[in-house]
């Protein structure tokens, strides 16, 4: 009886692990269907997750506009619905608006049907507000399940070379500037966050991120560092790089 009890527990655990952890590990290691780096391009691509935020995203857009930088915003669908004017502004100012699920929910908690709904519903929101179909997708926390490659098939899945920990105020004030300076100018993709409302994040972290980011952009401009525009992330080529 004990053996059957262990089997009863072990089989679902194994299946869940294959559906979530193993799928994520395989996709990240092999880079199948994802883009971690902008091949053949000099410079850095800036991407922002979790917004739009009513307070911080307009300030970020002001900052990017001052320095003529265009970025990719991976938006949460329900936030986009609540802040349509911000989404319209992103679109009008030449940023790319990508999918980051309708709710900020991990694919590890989603069935295949729920995964598809999270992606398609967000795509519909973006299309309704901007009149344009999204091009890019990034799953929250960079987690995949076995259904994700199929559900996200119409879109280019963008991962990163550098995720900078800016969802914590302590990191923004202590390590973020150094981490930004350490980014290679070889097609690296950096992740920052314009909303701090998710589990484990500090609500006011984006305010601190913005201060550090502006200083970094000023330094980068002085050094001639190029910021890669969104359309260059669609360039096909062999992808390399590592997820940190």
């Amino acid at each position: 009886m004990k053996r059957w009890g262990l089997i009863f527990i072990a089989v679902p655990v194994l299946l869940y692990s294959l559906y979530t952890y193993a799928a994520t590990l395989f996709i990240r290691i092999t880079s199948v269907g994802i883009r971690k780096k902008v091949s053949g391009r000099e410079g850095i691509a800036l991407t922002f997750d979790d917004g739009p935020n009513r307070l911080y995203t307009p300030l970020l857009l002001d900052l990017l506009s001052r320095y003529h930088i265009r970025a990719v915003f991976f938006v949460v669908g329900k936030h986009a619905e609540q802040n349509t004017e911000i989404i319209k502004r992103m679109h009008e100012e030449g940023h790319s608006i990508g999918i980051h699920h309708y709710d900020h929910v991990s694919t590890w908690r989603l069935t295949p049907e729920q995964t598809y709904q999270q992606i398609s519903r967000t795509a519909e929101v973006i299309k309704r507000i901007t009149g344009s179909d999204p091009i890019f997708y990034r799953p929250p926390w960079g987690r995949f399940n076995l259904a994700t490659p199929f559900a996200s098939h119409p879109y280019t899945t963008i991962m990163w070379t550098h995720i900078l920990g800016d969802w914590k105020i302590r990191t923004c004030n202590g390590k973020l500037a150094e981490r930004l300076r350490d980014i290679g100018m070889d097609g690296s993709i950096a992740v920052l966050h314009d909303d701090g409302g998710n589990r484990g994040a500090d609500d006011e972290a984006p305010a601190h991120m913005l201060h550090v980011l502006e200083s970094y952009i000023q330094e980068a401009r002085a050094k001639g560092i190029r910021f890669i525009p969104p359309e260059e992330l669609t360039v096909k080529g062999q992808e390399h790089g590592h997820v940190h």
Side-chain angles (χ1 to χ4, degrees), residues 143-205:
R143 295 173 182 170
F144 299 86
N145 61 38
L146 285 176
T148 309
F150 304 98
S152 64
H153 179 68
Y155 313 105
T156 300
T157 299
I158 302 294
M159 293 293 283
W160 56 74
T161 54
H162 297 76
I163 188 162
L164 302 167
D166 63 305
W167 54 86
K168 287 293 188 183
I169 292 173
R170 182 176 180 180
T171 301
C172 289
N173 295 341
K175 300 179 180 179
L176 182 57
E178 180 181 352
R179 289 178 179 178
L180 283 165
R181 293 187 191 105
D182 286 343
I183 299 173
M185 294 174 286
D186 54 351
S188 296
I189 299 174
V191 182
L192 293 161
H193 297 78
D194 55 326
D195 184 275
N198 295 308
R199 187 180 74 252
D202 295 335
D203 288 346
E204 297 179 1

Side-chain angles (χ1 to χ4, degrees), residues 106-121:
S106 169
T107 55
W108 292 358
R109 296 174 54 192
L110 301 175
T111 65
E113 176 62 23
Q114 289 170 335
T115 302
Y116 173 79
Q117 289 296 331
Q118 286 286 330
I119 294 171
S120 62
R121 190 175 179 186

Side-chain angles (χ1 to χ4, degrees), residues 15-234:
L15 291 175
Y16 177 79
S17 298
L18 291 172
Y19 181 71
T20 58
Y21 309 124
T24 298
L25 188 62
F26 176 80
I27 291 169
R28 286 193 178 199
I29 290 174
T30 64
S31 296
V32 170
I34 68 174
R35 187 155 298 175
K36 296 180 184 178
K37 200 170 187 178
V38 190
S39 294
R41 292 291 187 272
E42 292 185 1
I44 299 165
L46 294 180
T47 68
F48 298 91
D49 287 5
D50 299 355
N53 177 282
R54 190 163 300 179
L55 174 61
Y56 298 118
T57 305
L59 296 176
L60 173 57
L61 290 170
D62 291 344
L63 169 59
L64 296 174
S65 178
R66 281 197 296 276
Y67 294 96
H68 308 288
I69 295 170
R70 291 182 293 119
V72 182
F73 286 83
F74 290 95
V75 303
V76 175
K78 68 178 181 180
H79 294 172
E81 284 186 324
Q82 295 164 358
N83 298 280
T84 58
E85 292 305 313
I86 297 176
I87 297 294
K88 288 178 182 176
R89 180 183 170 188
M90 285 180 187
H91 182 67
E92 290 166 358
E93 295 184 0
H95 303 288
S96 183
I97 303 167
I99 299 165
H100 200 50
H101 288 187
Y102 184 82
D103 304 288
H104 196 275
V105 59
S106 169
T107 55
W108 292 358
R109 296 174 54 192
L110 301 175
T111 65
E113 176 62 23
Q114 289 170 335
T115 302
Y116 173 79
Q117 289 296 331
Q118 286 286 330
I119 294 171
S120 62
R121 190 175 179 186
T122 307
E124 290 167 5
V125 169
I126 294 168
K127 176 67 177 291
R128 186 166 65 246
I129 297 171
T130 67
S132 299
D133 291 309
I135 299 171
F136 301 123
Y137 166 69
R138 173 182 287 156
W141 292 288
R143 295 173 182 170
F144 299 86
N145 61 38
L146 285 176
T148 309
F150 304 98
S152 64
H153 179 68
Y155 313 105
T156 300
T157 299
I158 302 294
M159 293 293 283
W160 56 74
T161 54
H162 297 76
I163 188 162
L164 302 167
D166 63 305
W167 54 86
K168 287 293 188 183
I169 292 173
R170 182 176 180 180
T171 301
C172 289
N173 295 341
K175 300 179 180 179
L176 182 57
E178 180 181 352
R179 289 178 179 178
L180 283 165
R181 293 187 191 105
D182 286 343
I183 299 173
M185 294 174 286
D186 54 351
S188 296
I189 299 174
V191 182
L192 293 161
H193 297 78
D194 55 326
D195 184 275
N198 295 308
R199 187 180 74 252
D202 295 335
D203 288 346
E204 297 179 1
H208 298 257
M209 179 277 291
L210 287 167
H211 176 73
V212 177
L213 179 61
E214 179 155 27
S215 295
Y216 168 71
I217 289 173
Q218 290 172 348
E219 292 179 15
R221 286 295 196 214
K223 294 177 181 177
I225 294 174
R226 176 175 179 263
F227 291 96
I228 299 169
E231 59 270 17
E232 293 188 24
L233 272 70
T234 62

